[in-house]
Amino acid sequence: MPQKKWLILVAGAVLAAAVYFLPARKAPQSSTAETASDYIDPAACAGCHQAIAKTYRLTGMARSMYRPRPGAPVEDFTSRNSFYHQASDRYYTMSEREGKVFQTRHQVGFGGKPTNAVEKQVDFVIGSGNHARSYVYRNAEGKLLEMPVTWYAERGGYWGMSPGYDRADHLDFRRAIGADCLFCHNGFPTRSDQVPEGIDCQRCHGPGRRHAEVAGTGKASPDAIRRAIVNPARLSREQQLETCMQCHLETTSSPLPHIVPRYERAAFAFRPGQVLSDSFLFFDHQSGTGHDDKFEIAHAAYRLRKSACFQASQMTCTTCHNPHDIPRGPEAAAQYVAACKTCHPAGHTKAAAAGENCIDCHMPRRRAEDAVHVVMTDHYIQRRKPSRDLLAPLAEAKTIYAGEVVPYYGERAAQTPGYELYTAVAQVQDGANLPAGIPRLRAAIEKSRPAEPEFYFELGKAYSKAGNPVEAISWFEQALAHRADFTRAAKELSGALIAAGQVARAAEILEKLPPDSGVLADLGNVYLRQGRDDAALQVLQNALNKDPDAPGANNLLAMAWSRKGDGAAAEKYFRQAIAMQPDFAEAHNNLANLLAASKDYAQAAYHFEKALGSNPAYAEAHHSFGLLLILSHDYDRALQELRESVRLAPNAAQAHADLADVLLAKGQVPQAANEYRLAIGLRPDFYEAHLSLGVLLLRLGQAAEARTHLEKAAQSPDADLRMEVSKVLR
């Protein structure tokens, strides 16, 4: 078998531009400044409304997001505060020290030693605790990210993985807190650097500055003071409902999308009393696709609207709920039963005698499908309680929907300008209906030529998802033509240019963008592709100065150091990338190659197996692991890995040649000859494969064909290989 030279394989995957705030309810850039001045510090409301403020502070809305404070916590941070998550092979510990709350994660690594330890301090708590509390921290750039462990109130309280995390490939400490999360858990920030704490009065009553100013004069009449603020009780039924539905109408939390904002509207532009569909358009799964009875954590209004009671009456959310004061226990049950009796005065005498109430049977508690540790009241008022066990444990499922995304709610919206554009955007935004959605959105854009750049941007992203970077480039460019400072479009354009092989132009675009950690990481990636290793080192180090935890930037910086020949620095940053993302297959593969080059074969094998455990379809890792097994003389496993490599990447000439080497060593001569021929067919100037095939053919007595391949090998620029050919020919 020809001697193999171990090569560190530098992965060439392009890092996606870092996106820290999801597009849902995303405002046009610099469009919220005019609304911020209308809002005031909600503490001012308590001056005149002391009784309401006192009871409201105890509601779930008021406690929807806050900074942790010293005191007796509901959660157990001392005795039952650690657990092992088997799916991702990670250990988590929750603790409290000196009035501060922390989450820590570690794994058991190579040789049974602790590894990949990370600790983050909790900066914000999301959720009132009535059902759950999740936790958020600020990273070095000041961006908010969710933590992987949540406290759940069920069964007296316990720790579990946050919703969406109970799987092997969860985001750990890297899930960005999107604008849609903040929208429904917080009030409007009155300063750009402010994160409010919970929903305040102004979410339901509108901006309070005018009201406070009129009341503060001491001269205005009570009627004038009342007219200076929205009182939802004086609105129409539909307007009252829409005040609640701005946050409580979520058709699904799985990728669809369930909501698309009007791009011409600012993020907090909707105010109670306005038409909700003028700010947001809602979408749902198509009926009959297996999602008709879905039950999710933010489903109150969605499920209520399915109810015959709702459809046949004038009931609103406040028919049962007082948003200023939420009762508990028997008091709550009595209030809800009283609401039912306004339409059903007789009720069920036998049920009442048995100690049951309307809610137990007609609005039973049920386990949420998207937050499987949470049990909530189902607001779908049904004639009969379903016979199945609604509280039975559920396994978290990763729902992927493929099909038509249908409009939901807002019949008047269908008559408004741009409706077809937004409906077409819904088809492609999360990729649910990409094949039909792309031509539909393109036709809608070409027909109406909208002024908003987001439509062009969404079409560009759709083409990128569909693997058509050339079309994506065109539409990202059109988005930027409509708004030159559209940063998200510029980032996506750079990625499409790289995919299309236009690396130099991608660098030009990235060099002009505001240099956050994501942009710098992408730029470093481009510089590596261009062979500009010193420039890559500089920008990638700058990226890590801004966000030391970024796995992609750490991996890229390690690759840059490996090119410079500094193995110690490369190993340091590969390990840091893995510490922050333990299932980072590319970093495991790169570290394994580095360790193999230093002949630490046992630890290299460990990291190859980690890479393939995270990504079984990783052809390059199968190939590299196969080479390592050759060096370890484990030819049976090497054969298995190399066969898998060429199955996954049939156009990889080197993998075919390496597979041929192993087949030859195993005595499978015809199969080896076939693999050499495949390698040469893919790369006609593969001189080493020509030499190996020529030698093999000589052994088989096929001298004429052997000479053809040997003469081709003799054209190699490698003097050592030419000398080897000469010996064979002689």
Side-chain angles (χ1 to χ4, degrees):
M1 182 184 307
Q3 181 74 25
K4 289 294 173 185
K5 180 180 179 182
W6 194 271
L7 299 175
I8 296 178
L9 302 177
V10 178
V14 179
L15 283 178
V19 178
Y20 293 90
F21 292 96
L22 305 181
R25 295 189 169 108
K26 179 79 176 180
Q29 295 178 356
S30 68
S31 63
T32 59
E34 68 274 15
T35 63
S37 61
D38 295 336
Y39 289 83
I40 60 173
D41 185 341
C45 304
C48 296
H49 306 280
Q50 295 179 9
I52 289 176
K54 181 179 179 180
T55 57
Y56 180 73
R57 278 195 294 268
L58 302 177
T59 67
M61 288 192 295
R63 297 179 290 123
S64 57
M65 185 167 178
Y66 54 92
R67 292 168 176 82
R69 297 175 178 86
V74 175
E75 308 94 322
D76 187 348
F77 291 112
T78 56
S79 60
R80 295 183 299 156
N81 60 328
S82 297
F83 73 94
Y84 170 64
H85 184 234
Q86 185 174 5
S88 62
D89 188 27
R90 301 173 203 183
Y91 295 84
Y92 292 97
T93 301
M94 285 55 66
S95 59
E96 184 179 23
R97 301 192 303 272
E98 299 177 352
K100 298 176 181 178
V101 181
F102 300 87
Q103 280 194 17
T104 307
R105 178 258 288 152
H106 77 278
Q107 292 185 294
V108 177
F110 179 71
K113 297 178 181 178
T115 189
N116 299 336
V118 172
E119 181 175 80
K120 298 295 180 185
Q121 180 182 329
V122 173
D123 292 309
F124 293 94
V125 180
I126 291 185
S128 65
N130 293 339
H131 301 289
R133 283 178 175 158
S134 294
Y135 305 89
V136 173
Y137 77 98
R138 280 188 184 272
N139 72 358
E141 284 190 290
K143 295 167 183 174
L144 300 178
L145 297 104
E146 185 175 353
M147 292 179 165
V149 177
T150 286
W151 180 87
Y152 295 99
E154 191 186 12
R155 304 198 311 264
Y158 66 95
W159 297 99
M161 299 305 288
S162 298
Y165 277 81
D166 200 4
R167 53 170 57 97
D169 59 346
H170 63 73
L171 289 175
D172 212 54
F173 290 92
R174 308 184 318 279
R175 180 194 270 179
I177 295 295
D180 49 351
C181 293
L182 294 177
F183 183 93
C184 284
H185 279 275
N186 260 346
F188 189 89
T190 55
R191 302 191 316 269
S192 61
D193 62 341
Q194 179 191 50
V195 177
E197 296 188 57
I199 298 297
D200 64 51
C201 314
Q202 297 167 101
R203 176 52 57 86
C204 300
H205 293 276
R209 183 170 302 281
R210 175 63 179 159
H211 178 65
E213 289 174 348
V214 172
T217 63
K219 301 177 181 178
S221 67
D223 186 57
I225 296 172
R226 283 194 294 268
R227 287 200 309 270
I229 194 77
V230 174
N231 183 345
R234 296 190 177 93
L235 298 175
S236 69
R237 181 201 187 207
E238 185 172 9
Q239 290 172 324
Q240 290 183 46
L241 288 165
E242 289 187 344
T243 300
C244 302
M245 290 193 302
Q246 62 178 306
C247 285
H248 292 280
L249 183 63
E250 183 178 85
T251 64
T252 179
S253 63
S254 61
L256 197 61
H258 86 277
I259 190 170
V260 178
R262 296 273 190 179
Y263 297 133
E264 70 275 14
R265 299 276 288 179
F268 278 73
F270 173 76
R271 299 180 181 184
Q274 295 179 346
V275 177
L276 187 60
S277 59
D278 286 349
S279 292
F280 309 116
L281 294 174
F282 297 85
F283 297 90
D284 197 5
H285 300 99
Q286 190 171 37
S287 180
T289 57
H291 301 275
D292 293 342
D293 190 42
K294 59 181 181 282
F295 178 69
E296 301 183 11
I297 196 166
H299 254 21
Y302 179 74
R303 296 285 288 180
L304 178 65
R305 287 173 51 79
K306 295 168 67 75
S307 309
C309 284
F310 174 85
Q311 296 169 6
S313 73
Q314 290 298 304
M315 71 182 300
T316 67
C317 304
T318 57
T319 300
C320 299
H321 297 286
N322 176 2
H324 296 146
D325 187 9
I326 304 298
R328 305 290 178 201
E331 182 185 352
Q335 176 174 309
Y336 302 145
V337 169
C340 296
K341 287 186 175 180
T342 59
C343 291
H344 308 280
H348 296 293
T349 306
K350 291 182 179 179
E356 298 174 347
N357 61 52
C358 314
I359 309 304
D360 293 337
C361 290
H362 300 286
M363 298 177 67
R365 289 168 61 79
R366 179 174 169 182
R367 190 168 300 280
E369 296 168 12
D370 59 339
V372 296
H373 299 286
V374 173
V375 172
M376 303 185 70
T377 298
D378 186 355
H379 281 65
Y380 177 28
I381 308 169
Q382 302 178 65
R383 181 180 293 273
R384 294 179 179 84
K385 182 179 180 178
S387 58
R388 66 185 184 279
D389 185 358
L390 300 177
L391 304 182
L394 294 175
E396 188 170 273
K398 190 173 184 178
T399 303
I400 299 176
Y401 175 70
E404 181 79 8
V405 180
V406 297
Y408 176 86
Y409 185 71
E411 292 75 11
R412 288 179 295 179
Q415 312 303 320
T416 60
Y419 183 73
E420 172 54 27
L421 280 165
Y422 286 104
T423 304
V425 165
Q427 311 307 311
V428 303
Q429 191 172 86
D430 288 333
N433 194 23
L434 211 57
I438 287 176
R440 182 173 176 178
L441 179 55
R442 181 167 185 159
I445 290 174
E446 290 174 343
K447 177 181 178 181
S448 59
R449 299 293 178 184
E452 296 82 9
E454 287 85 357
F455 295 111
Y456 306 88
F457 172 72
E458 292 292 349
L459 184 54
K461 285 205 303 180
Y463 274 118
S464 286
K465 290 175 188 174
N468 189 341
V470 175
E471 282 288 354
I473 290 168
S474 171
W475 292 97
F476 289 138
E477 288 173 337
Q478 291 190 57
L480 288 164
H482 284 75
R483 187 193 302 154
D485 62 347
F486 195 175
T487 301
R488 287 188 298 148
K491 288 180 179 180
E492 293 285 349
L493 174 58
S494 69
L497 288 167
I498 293 170
Q502 301 181 41
V503 180
R505 189 172 166 220
E508 292 175 2
I509 290 171
L510 290 166
E511 287 166 348
K512 296 175 183 177
L513 289 175
D516 64 25
S517 61
V519 167
L520 291 172
D522 288 346
L523 183 57
N525 194 351
V526 170
Y527 286 160
L528 283 174
R529 288 171 173 269
Q530 293 179 310
R532 299 167 61 184
D533 296 345
D534 290 334
L537 283 170
Q538 181 179 348
V539 299
L540 289 168
Q541 188 59 66
N542 288 341
L544 291 178
N545 290 341
K546 293 177 178 291
D547 182 7
D549 293 339
N554 275 287
N555 181 58
L556 288 166
L557 184 58
M559 291 194 290
W561 279 120
S562 71
R563 286 190 181 184
K564 299 289 287 185
D566 191 334
E571 182 175 348
K572 169 187 172 183
Y573 289 106
F574 281 140
R575 292 191 184 278
Q576 178 62 15
I578 293 167
M580 287 310 303
Q581 185 178 342
D583 61 350
F584 195 168
E586 182 182 319
H588 279 291
N589 179 63
N590 290 336
L591 177 58
N593 279 296
L594 186 71
L595 293 166
S598 63
K599 300 186 178 180
D600 188 349
Y601 297 156
Q603 193 171 180
Y606 169 86
H607 285 285
F608 278 133
E609 289 172 344
K610 285 292 183 182
L612 292 170
S614 297
N615 182 8
Y618 195 171
E620 183 181 298
H622 283 290
H623 182 197
S624 299
F625 192 20
L627 295 181
L628 175 68
L629 294 167
I630 291 172
L631 294 178
S632 303
H633 306 291
D634 189 346
Y635 298 132
D636 289 336
R637 290 181 66 198
L639 189 62
Q640 178 182 341
E641 293 298 329
L642 291 169
R643 277 179 168 157
E644 184 66 6
S645 175
V646 299
R647 185 188 72 82
L648 293 167
N651 295 327
Q654 185 65 59
H656 282 286
D658 292 333
L659 174 58
D661 289 346
V662 179
L663 289 166
L664 188 58
K666 296 282 290 179
Q668 300 180 32
V669 177
Q671 295 92 328
N674 182 58
E675 292 297 330
Y676 284 132
R677 289 190 176 99
L678 287 171
I680 291 167
L682 291 164
R683 205 169 88 200
D685 62 350
F686 196 165
Y687 302 112
E688 187 180 69
H690 280 290
L691 171 59
S692 297
L693 180 57
V695 171
L696 174 58
L697 292 170
L698 281 177
R699 288 173 55 187
L700 295 173
Q702 301 176 24
E705 186 182 354
R707 177 170 290 277
T708 299
H709 288 289
L710 291 170
E711 289 175 347
K712 182 66 174 179
Q715 300 173 18
S716 170
D718 185 339
D720 292 338
L721 193 144
R722 291 198 306 271
M723 184 177 296
E724 186 70 24
V725 173
S726 297
K727 291 178 183 178
V728 175
L729 286 172
R730 285 197 300 271

